[in-house]
Amino acid sequence: MNDNRARRTSNLWTHSLKTLTLIAWLCVWTQRTAGQVSGTDEVIARVGETATLPASVTTGILTFSWYRGTAVLPPQLILSYVVSGFGVTSGPQSTGRESGYPNGTLYIRDLRTSDTGNYTVNVILTSGTPTESHKQLRVYESVSIPVIQAVTQNPVENGSLVLVCNASGTDVSYQWNQDGKLIISGGRINITSNSQTLTLSPCTRTNSGTNFTCGASNAVSHSTSSQYTLTVSYGPDTPVISVNPKKSAYEVGSAISFSCTATSYPPALYTWLLNGQSLLRTGRELAINSLTLTDSGNYTCNTSNNITHLSKHAIWGISVLEPVTKPRVTSEPSQLVENRPAKITCVTSTAAVTILWSLNSTTNLPGNIIQSPDNRTLTIINVSRGDSGIYQCVAKNPISNSTSDPQPLIVAYGPEDVKIEPPGSQLLQVNDKLSLSCTARSFPEPRFQWLLNNTDLNKSSNIYIVDKVTSRNNGNYTCVAHNMDTGLFVKASVSITVNGTDPSPDNTGGLSAGAIVGIVIGVLAVVIIVCVLVYIFVIKKPASGAATSRDSTEMASNNKEGSASPQTNGTGAPEIQYSSVNFVPKRGTPAKPIAPENTVYSEVRR
């Protein structure tokens, strides 16, 4: 119970204190209301000038006091003024530059920015009624002449331009002008919220020459900057090369000059290259007084800009040529052969030439002729006779041309269509004349060979003649035609029959040269045989009796056979007997087989 009584006593004292506090606040509020507190007025002044702060009432003033700030507190007192006694009392906030006048006005001389702030005046009228008012003093430092600073020292095309306007002063505000007209932020121009920075992006070469100015101002002053003239660096654009003289090709020893132009600011730097290698030449012009073959190639004009760090180039190619040397036509093989491949070439020592062909003075070549990519070679897969003719080639370049000598090429063909005249079988009588003629179509002319019953007659003419035929001229006569270039053989045959009896060889004068030669050979053969027999049986002694007896027996047998009476053949003419003589080596030496060519035959007639 005692605790409850103490709690109630504490709450009563708290309520009483709150009530007393409210009554005191109402008394003060009632007194300030009775004093007619006015609103706040603003006074603007420049540094170094004198500010005048008037009171809200100017008559019936008994006394007034000025305070720094918005509260009437003794520590904030600047001065107090008693009108009736002209008494002025300085307070803690006095700087010595303040003074008051009987109408309640406060003057502050030699203003400084630190004087900016709120001021309060408390006036007591003669009626005893107090009044209070507030003043706000703003002291501004005048703006200086603004200066435009280019953050981008060398603006380039497609880059950004950033300009900053700087001015000293209090509460400075800025505005921008382009060629005398106010700039509003938007598009390629952006102005920051405080208007101090201007950005132009992207810059173009057309912006060069634009004049920018900025104005700086505050409540007490205004000033304008000097002009900033914009210069935009650009390029180089792709250069253009001009050549004098302008030709498709130049002859060795001739002159040429190049000129290169590129749009650029600042002006471009020029360097020259040939086939990618520096010529150590600078400037827009390049001249060569006497061209050589090594001057052929691509000339590059390279342009650069040290500000934009860009470079562009252009290329111009030239050909330096020598006059064309006279070409000549060759073929492989040298002789064209029908149905075989061939290559015909235009040979010239001059490089980089164009080759033109003609056959029999026309440039329309047969369809079976294939030209190589450089036209220097004609390839014929299967040569035909129509490919024969006069071939010529023309070698030309842009500065000259030359024509080869005519080269006739004739296609080798055949032989074909071999014929013997007279054709067919012939019946002749002994001592008649035999005349045969062989013809064949061929180029070049073929070689001829005559065969009788497949035996070579050793005749190379196309005509075969026998003045007086005998029975030995019976048989089949064959004419063989051979083309050495084509390697081909063809033949034709006819049959010759000779009737009648051959003339009798009763005297030497009636014998033919062949018969006489045969007789001489036969006599020589007999002499040789006799000499051999004498050597064997008379001069040479046998090495052993057995061998000698055997060999003698064989030899005697052979001699008997050789000396036997001649037999007649069915026609009554003596039959030819042959003797075979074998040479027996000495004993102890192996006998070698006797080759057929070591056998000597002798023809003996009776």
Side-chain angles (χ1 to χ4, degrees):
M1 182 168 306
N2 291 333
D3 290 339
N4 291 335
R5 186 181 298 110
R7 189 178 297 108
R8 284 197 298 271
T9 301
S10 175
N11 290 338
L12 179 62
W13 277 106
T14 300
H15 179 71
S16 299
L17 181 59
K18 289 182 178 180
T19 301
L20 291 174
T21 301
L22 178 60
I23 292 172
W25 182 84
L26 288 174
C27 291
V28 172
W29 179 84
T30 302
Q31 185 177 10
R32 291 175 64 88
T33 302
Q36 300 179 359
V37 177
S38 64
T40 300
D41 295 328
E42 185 177 51
V43 176
I44 296 175
R46 191 193 307 261
V47 170
E49 294 181 346
T50 298
T52 300
L53 303 179
S56 57
V57 293
T58 58
T59 59
I61 297 175
L62 176 64
T63 182
F64 63 87
S65 299
W66 281 95
Y67 297 88
R68 191 72 185 266
T70 59
V72 178
L73 297 173
Q76 299 300 109
L77 179 65
I78 298 173
L79 60 81
S80 293
Y81 193 103
V82 179
V83 176
S84 59
F86 299 103
V88 178
T89 302
S90 296
Q93 295 295 324
S94 174
T95 63
R97 294 177 289 110
E98 299 85 6
S99 60
Y101 285 82
N103 60 358
T105 300
L106 173 68
Y107 292 92
I108 304 175
R109 300 179 303 276
D110 190 18
L111 286 171
R112 302 171 185 176
T113 56
S114 58
D115 294 327
T116 297
N118 293 311
Y119 291 82
T120 300
V121 59
N122 185 27
V123 179
I124 298 177
L125 300 177
T126 55
S127 61
T129 302
T131 182
E132 184 178 310
S133 64
H134 300 276
K135 300 295 179 183
Q136 187 177 47
L137 175 61
R138 291 186 177 274
V139 180
Y140 289 87
E141 182 181 3
S142 298
V143 296
S144 63
I145 297 175
V147 175
I148 296 177
Q149 178 185 2
V151 176
T152 309
Q153 294 297 323
N154 293 298
V156 299
E157 190 169 39
N158 298 320
S160 298
L161 169 69
V162 179
L163 301 178
V164 177
C165 185
N166 288 312
S168 61
T170 306
D171 292 340
V172 180
S173 61
Y174 300 90
Q175 66 179 17
W176 289 89
N177 292 276
Q178 178 180 336
D179 295 329
K181 296 180 180 180
L182 180 65
I183 300 175
I184 299 175
S185 182
R188 292 189 297 122
I189 296 180
N190 179 50
I191 299 176
T192 57
S193 57
N194 65 352
S195 300
Q196 192 172 3
T197 302
L198 178 147
T199 302
L200 172 63
S201 180
C203 293
T204 66
R205 63 187 69 185
T206 58
N207 295 131
S208 290
T210 301
N211 295 315
F212 291 93
T213 58
C214 75
S217 61
N218 60 15
V220 296
S221 62
H222 176 80
S223 186
T224 302
S225 70
S226 298
Q227 285 188 156
Y228 171 85
T229 301
L230 174 60
T231 300
V232 178
S233 297
Y234 58 88
D237 295 343
T238 301
V240 176
I241 298 177
S242 58
V243 180
N244 185 33
K246 187 177 181 180
K247 297 181 180 180
S248 59
Y250 299 83
E251 188 172 351
V252 170
S254 61
I256 189 174
S257 63
F258 300 87
S259 180
C260 186
T261 303
T263 302
S264 175
Y265 183 84
L269 302 176
Y270 297 84
T271 55
W272 292 91
L273 300 91
L274 172 58
N275 297 326
Q277 300 296 319
S278 175
L279 293 175
L280 302 179
R281 302 284 291 275
T282 60
R284 295 180 57 246
E285 307 293 333
L286 174 65
I288 303 174
N289 296 324
S290 181
L291 289 167
T292 65
L293 292 177
T294 58
D295 292 322
S296 291
N298 293 321
Y299 286 80
T300 301
C301 171
N302 192 54
T303 60
S304 60
N305 186 320
N306 289 336
I307 302 300
T308 64
H309 302 292
L310 298 177
S311 63
K312 293 289 181 67
H313 68 273
I315 298 176
W316 190 285
I318 69 168
S319 295
V320 182
L321 304 174
E322 290 181 319
V324 175
T325 59
K326 186 174 182 177
R328 57 188 177 88
V329 175
T330 63
S331 67
E332 177 61 36
S334 58
Q335 174 63 64
L336 303 185
V337 178
E338 188 176 34
N339 297 323
R340 296 184 188 175
K343 288 187 177 181
I344 305 171
T345 304
C346 184
V347 180
T348 176
S349 60
T350 307
V353 294
T354 300
I355 303 297
L356 301 176
W357 285 93
S358 66
L359 173 58
N360 298 327
S361 301
T362 178
T363 58
N364 295 324
L365 301 178
N368 64 325
I369 295 180
I370 302 172
Q371 301 186 51
S372 62
D374 61 1
N375 237 29
R376 288 177 180 260
T377 302
L378 305 179
T379 300
I380 309 175
I381 303 300
N382 288 300
V383 174
S384 65
R385 298 177 197 181
D387 297 322
S388 294
I390 297 176
Y391 288 80
Q392 274 187 295
C393 67
V394 178
K396 59 187 297 186
N397 63 18
I399 65 170
S400 64
N401 63 78
S402 182
T403 304
S404 70
D405 292 331
Q407 178 64 48
L409 295 176
I410 302 176
V411 176
Y413 63 90
E416 58 188 26
D417 295 337
V418 178
K419 297 178 181 178
I420 297 178
E421 295 290 341
S425 301
Q426 295 186 51
L427 179 61
L428 299 178
Q429 298 298 321
V430 171
N431 293 327
D432 284 350
K433 183 177 182 178
L434 172 63
S435 179
L436 299 175
S437 175
C438 186
T439 61
R441 290 195 302 114
S442 175
F443 180 84
E445 287 295 327
R447 293 184 179 183
F448 293 94
Q449 180 185 20
W450 289 93
L451 304 175
L452 174 56
N453 298 324
N454 293 325
T455 299
D456 189 1
L457 295 174
N458 295 318
K459 296 289 184 179
S460 60
S461 172
N462 69 318
I463 297 175
Y464 182 76
I465 298 175
V466 178
D467 291 331
K468 294 181 179 181
V469 298
T470 66
S471 61
R472 284 180 290 179
N473 297 119
N474 274 306
N476 291 320
Y477 286 80
T478 302
C479 172
V480 180
H482 176 208
N483 188 323
M484 300 296 291
D485 289 333
T486 65
L488 298 178
F489 296 83
V490 290
K491 61 185 178 180
S493 298
V494 295
S495 178
I496 303 297
T497 301
V498 179
N499 286 336
T501 302
D502 293 340
S504 175
D506 53 351
N507 56 62
T508 307
L511 294 176
S512 66
I516 295 173
V517 170
I519 293 172
V520 171
I521 294 173
V523 172
L524 291 175
V526 171
V527 171
I528 292 172
I529 292 172
V530 171
C531 291
V532 170
L533 293 175
V534 170
Y535 173 80
I536 294 174
F537 290 103
V538 178
I539 298 174
K540 184 177 180 184
K541 293 180 179 181
S544 64
T548 301
S549 177
R550 184 175 61 252
D551 292 342
S552 298
T553 303
E554 291 177 358
M555 184 63 70
S557 175
N558 290 336
N559 288 338
K560 288 180 180 181
E561 293 175 1
S563 59
S565 299
Q567 301 297 323
T568 60
N569 55 22
T571 61
E575 184 176 358
I576 300 173
Q577 300 294 324
Y578 295 90
S579 295
S580 176
V581 179
N582 294 327
F583 294 94
V584 180
K586 293 181 179 180
R587 184 176 300 274
T589 302
K592 296 182 179 179
I594 300 175
E597 59 268 21
N598 293 332
T599 302
V600 179
Y601 297 93
S602 174
E603 180 181 344
V604 181
R605 294 179 182 270
R606 289 189 178 184

